[in-house]
Structure formats: structure tokens, C-alpha cells
Amino acid sequence: MPITDALPDMKRELRFFPARSENPKALSREQIDFFNTNGYLCPVDVFTPQEAEANRLYFEDLMARAEQEGYNSYSINGWQRHCEGIYNLAMNERILDYAEDLVGETLICEMTHYFCKMPGDVQRVSWHQDASYWPLTPSKVVTIWLAIDDVDEENGPMTVIPGSHLHGQIPFENSTKAERNVLGQSVHDPHRWGGDPVPFVMKAGQISMHTDLLLHGSEPNVSDRRRCGLTIRYLPPDVRGRYPEYHRALICRGSDPSGYWRPIPRPTGDQIPPRNR
């Protein structure tokens, strides 16, 4: 039975809010128009090859330490509170310039997540909308997906349905075990909601950008090469969560006079958080 409301206990406004930057810092007006029409931009250059290599080495060191504590390749989720390196990537000025052109002058980051598909990984990410998972309203989150590795059509690229973000929340079903879905929701008829699927083929150091209502997913990594990316999610200060008091997050640029989003201090070093057992 299709599910039409992922969070029925929370009143949410789930519709696309077009980017309306009057004086864009990094994107052209044509790119902003493309984003509004299609729901994404890809690829966008950010880091030099040398910087991309540093990003890769940082991840590999962090992942090796995390594995020693029992974490897997999808477990580094929300660690911007603990790890200075992830915090610094979320605060990178070049990334923030791109995000500001789509989100606005004040940028809040509550979520980061390394999605790392090892060679031969049989798991997929079924078609879904990010907004269906998050207890946030209104749906104004933009995700930056930073390529840690080169991504091609063999190693499980993120793939999107252009224009699907214009339909609000799309009905989905809870995933079955047979799907081997990294997440828990599946939209089984993605093609009826937009254009032909577009795989995000990228070089390490490039980013993609997509709105939280865009249908996307990825197939298993059938190659002999890893495919890793870091998602950094930015939202404007008028977004609210499930609880009315306040939320803690990175205030990456600007300020929130309402006090709802309270800043997380910069972590010192890269701490592996205790694992829930």
C-alpha cells in the first residue's frame, strides 16, 4: 500500500521553493534557472586535484579509525559535531557560495553523511525523496554531494529524475529486505514523475546540488573501485524541526535572530563518537 505521508504526526509544507538569488555569487542565472526547472546541478567544480586528494586521505584515515570501533562504510553520519575535518568541509567558503545562491544568505547545516560504496557492494539506494525522511518544514533543504572518489556509471552513481521535485511528496512504500536498500523507502514508479534518469558522473573534488524533493537513487557498485561522497545539507533559518524549542546545528553563514537554530562549536580534532550498542 503506497504511503503518502511519511510523518503524519507533523504538519509540514512539502512543495518546491524556487531559488531566487538577485545577486548570485558563484552560479550563473542560467544555472539557477536550470536548478529550478530540473531540481539539480551537476557537476560543479570546487576543489583542485590536490585538494581532492587531501579530502580522500582524510576520509580514509577517518574510516579506518571508525571501522576499528565497529562502524561500517555508511556509518559516518552527523559527525560534523565531532570531527573538525567534516566541520571544515561544511564551512568551506567555495561550497557556501554555491549553497547561498540556492538557499539564501543564512546557511544552516544540521546534517552530513558519507555514503561510501565499496567495490562489489550489493546494496542500492532505492528511489526516494530526502524530504520524506526528515522531520523538517518547509521543504527548503539543498544537498551538496561532494565526490571523494571519481564517479562513473559502473560504480553506482547517484541518479536523478529531472523535474520530479515539482510534484510535492510522492507516494512510496517501505522497502523490502530483498531490495537491499541502504535506506528504508522505495518509490517504485519513478519514471512517471519526470524526465529520463540522469546519472551524476563526477570527478573527485566536484559537487552536485539537489533539492530535497528530487527523486534519486543509486544501483549497486559492480565495479572494482570504491565510490564515496559526502553529503552536506543546507537549509535557511525559517525551516523548523519536529520540536518547537530549538535545534542545534552549524550556522555556516549569516545568523538566526530567532534563536531556534543554536550554533554547535567547532570540534577540536576528529573524535570517533561512542557507538550505540
Side-chain angles (χ1 to χ4, degrees):
M1 178 69 66
I3 299 169
T4 57
D5 192 347
L7 298 163
D9 61 328
M10 182 179 177
K11 185 177 180 180
R12 295 189 297 160
E13 188 175 6
L14 297 176
R15 64 179 179 87
F16 177 60
F17 294 82
R20 303 193 184 282
S21 177
E22 295 295 330
N23 297 292
K25 290 187 172 182
L27 297 174
S28 68
R29 294 192 181 278
E30 290 76 16
Q31 286 176 306
I32 294 172
D33 289 343
F34 184 94
F35 178 86
N36 287 337
T37 300
N38 295 281
Y40 72 92
L41 287 171
C42 181
V44 178
D45 294 329
V46 176
F47 293 106
T48 67
Q50 294 76 21
E51 291 169 327
E53 176 68 3
N55 291 340
R56 182 184 64 79
L57 293 174
Y58 170 77
F59 167 74
E60 290 178 350
D61 176 72
L62 186 64
M63 188 71 252
R65 293 171 54 211
E67 286 178 330
Q68 291 179 354
E69 299 300 322
Y71 290 101
N72 66 33
S73 63
Y74 295 99
S75 296
I76 303 179
N77 185 3
W79 288 17
Q80 71 278 359
R81 299 183 295 270
H82 311 285
C83 296
E84 188 175 14
I86 301 175
Y87 181 102
N88 289 342
L89 285 170
M91 289 286 194
N92 180 274
E93 292 293 332
R94 285 169 284 174
I95 290 177
L96 294 180
D97 283 347
Y98 285 121
E100 181 177 330
D101 288 345
L102 299 180
V103 178
E105 293 182 355
T106 296
L107 296 170
I108 311 295
C109 175
E110 191 187 25
M111 300 172 282
T112 65
H113 193 174
Y114 278 106
F115 282 88
C116 179
K117 290 187 179 187
M118 301 303 290
D121 189 342
V122 299
Q123 296 184 96
R124 61 171 41 85
V125 177
S126 296
W127 294 105
H128 69 284
Q129 295 171 295
D130 292 335
S132 287
Y133 286 94
W134 300 333
L136 298 170
T137 186
S139 51
K140 294 183 176 181
V141 182
V142 170
T143 293
I144 304 288
W145 200 99
L146 168 62
I148 303 302
D149 303 316
D150 291 346
V151 184
D152 57 37
E153 295 195 43
E154 292 184 350
N155 64 353
M158 182 166 67
T159 302
V160 305
I161 302 293
S164 55
H165 63 302
L166 301 175
H167 298 281
Q169 188 171 38
I170 293 172
F172 63 89
E173 296 181 6
N174 292 323
S175 304
T176 64
K177 188 175 181 181
E179 288 181 65
R180 296 173 176 164
N181 185 10
V182 173
L183 305 177
Q185 299 176 5
S186 302
V187 174
H188 294 301
D189 53 352
H191 304 286
R192 64 174 288 200
W193 299 102
D196 293 335
V198 175
F200 282 2
V201 174
M202 308 167 64
K203 292 294 186 181
Q206 292 181 320
I207 63 170
S208 66
M209 312 173 75
H210 70 270
T211 173
D212 54 7
L213 287 173
L214 185 71
L215 270 180
H216 61 286
S218 61
E219 289 300 306
N221 180 2
V222 299
S223 77
D224 59 0
R225 290 166 287 108
R226 190 186 66 192
R227 190 230 69 177
C228 180
L230 173 66
T231 60
I232 311 171
R233 327 277 192 175
Y234 295 103
L235 52 93
D238 62 312
V239 172
R240 294 292 181 265
R242 184 189 297 274
Y243 304 108
E245 293 84 7
Y246 65 88
H247 276 218
R248 297 188 64 82
L250 276 61
I251 300 181
C252 302
R253 185 170 282 179
S255 62
D256 178 21
S258 75
Y260 182 82
W261 295 102
R262 300 189 182 180
I264 292 171
R266 179 187 297 273
T268 301
D270 294 289
Q271 306 300 318
I272 305 299
R275 185 164 172 256
N276 293 328
R277 302 183 185 278

